[in-house]
Amino acid sequence: MLFFHSIAILFVLFHKSLGEVRTSFKILNYTGSGCPEGTISSSINLDTTALAQSFDRFPLYLGPGTIIRDHYKNCTLYANISFSEPNWQLYVNPRSMDVRGYFPMDVGTSLRVQSKYDWAGSNKMATNTFTVQGPLRDTFIRYHVDNATDNVVVSPCGGGILRTRYDAAATTTTSHPGGFDPDDPEPGIEFWTFLTSLQLSRCPT
Ligand SMILES: *[C@@H]1O[C@H](CO)[C@@H](O)[C@H](O)[C@H]1NC(C)=O
Ligand SMILES: *[C@@H]1O[C@H](CO)[C@@H](O)[C@H](O)[C@H]1NC(C)=O
Ligand SMILES: *[C@@H]1O[C@H](CO)[C@@H](O)[C@H](O)[C@H]1NC(C)=O
Ligand SMILES: *[C@@H]1O[C@H](CO)[C@@H](O)[C@H](O)[C@H]1NC(C)=O
């Protein structure tokens, strides 16, 4: 009897370590030139291995009639993250991120994209940076954008407030950049998605 009871307890413990821990994720607020009200979606997947943050568009423009402000867009999001079980914590960016974006551009034009993560109360920050070179017909996809080793930030035990910052800057070396036609994109193609890796872990004892 006791034997089976112990087995049952072991099973419960084992099971919990395999994914019974549920992560609660709530966006507190977001601001920035890249994310007008009502244009983002944000979620964590069921097994807490990825954070997906999508923008309807990152409205960058380059070329005739544009001003400096059009060449750079950003967004900062705050989220409250907690767990259904005590003594867990969350690593952000342990396996870097994947990104999908939209920005048609000519030869000589390039786009620098960056994400930054930090937890409230900590001064450690993880950063991913990459550059896309034109020409680009419409969309780009980057997998495992690797910036540096140890490019990871961990939450306090029990969770915390995660700040995520994204930005994109377009630059050109040609005097007449073109190729971008903001009046005529295919419907549903303009979105940007940042998929950042996560890792749930027991707090150190
Ligand atoms: C967003 O939420 C964070 C965390 O609660 C807070 O520090 C920050 O002031 C808020 N920002 C805005 C613009 O409300
Ligand atoms: C976006 O960038 C502008 C210009 O650098 C900066 O002043 C602003 O604080 C940034 N906003 C966010 C939400 O990151
Ligand atoms: C974050 O979530 C926790 C757990 O639900 C809650 O106790 C705390 O007040 C929340 N913090 C903020 C700033 O919303
Ligand atoms: C990593 O990010 C830092 C900070 O943004 C940047 O200065 C550095 O050039 C990046 N390294 C690589 C290899 O992209």
Side-chain angles (χ1 to χ4, degrees), residues 53 55 58 96-102 111 113-115 117 128-130 132 139-145 166-168 191-196:
Q53 303 201 291
F55 303 87
F58 236 69
S96 194
M97 69 167 179
D98 301 336
V99 184
R100 185 268 191 208
Y102 171 86
L111 188 64
V113 182
Q114 187 163 265
S115 66
Y117 314 88
N128 299 320
T129 309
F130 67 94
V132 185
T139 57
F140 64 86
I141 296 180
R142 282 295 173 92
Y143 297 104
H144 298 292
V145 174
Y166 300 107
D167 66 51
F191 71 93
W192 287 53
T193 297
F194 294 82
L195 204 60
T196 306

Side-chain angles (χ1 to χ4, degrees), residues 3-29:
F3 175 73
F4 284 109
H5 193 66
S6 306
I7 293 279
I9 287 172
L10 267 183
F11 180 74
V12 166
L13 289 177
F14 184 62
H15 200 63
K16 272 193 175 143
S17 72
L18 277 185
E20 273 295 290
V21 182
R22 284 180 310 279
T23 300
S24 151
F25 175 79
K26 193 183 288 172
I27 289 287
L28 297 172
N29 59 58

Side-chain angles (χ1 to χ4, degrees), residues 143-166:
Y143 297 104
H144 298 292
V145 174
D146 253 325
N147 182 283
T149 54
D150 194 29
N151 197 13
V152 57
V153 287
V154 63
S155 75
C157 193
I161 307 293
L162 176 69
R163 176 172 64 167
T164 314
R165 287 175 286 174
Y166 300 107

Side-chain angles (χ1 to χ4, degrees), residues 76-137:
T76 297
L77 306 94
Y78 284 86
N80 189 0
I81 300 181
S82 58
F83 315 111
S84 61
E85 303 294 326
N87 299 318
W88 288 82
Q89 59 184 177
L90 186 63
Y91 287 82
V92 175
N93 203 47
R95 298 172 310 282
S96 194
M97 69 167 179
D98 301 336
V99 184
R100 185 268 191 208
Y102 171 86
F103 189 66
M105 55 186 162
D106 275 352
V107 177
T109 299
S110 68
L111 188 64
R112 199 198 65 147
V113 182
Q114 187 163 265
S115 66
K116 294 177 186 166
Y117 314 88
D118 56 2
W119 291 94
S122 161
N123 54 18
K124 194 162 186 246
M125 184 169 72
T127 305
N128 299 320
T129 309
F130 67 94
T131 302
V132 185
Q133 303 285 352
L136 182 67
R137 211 170 77 90

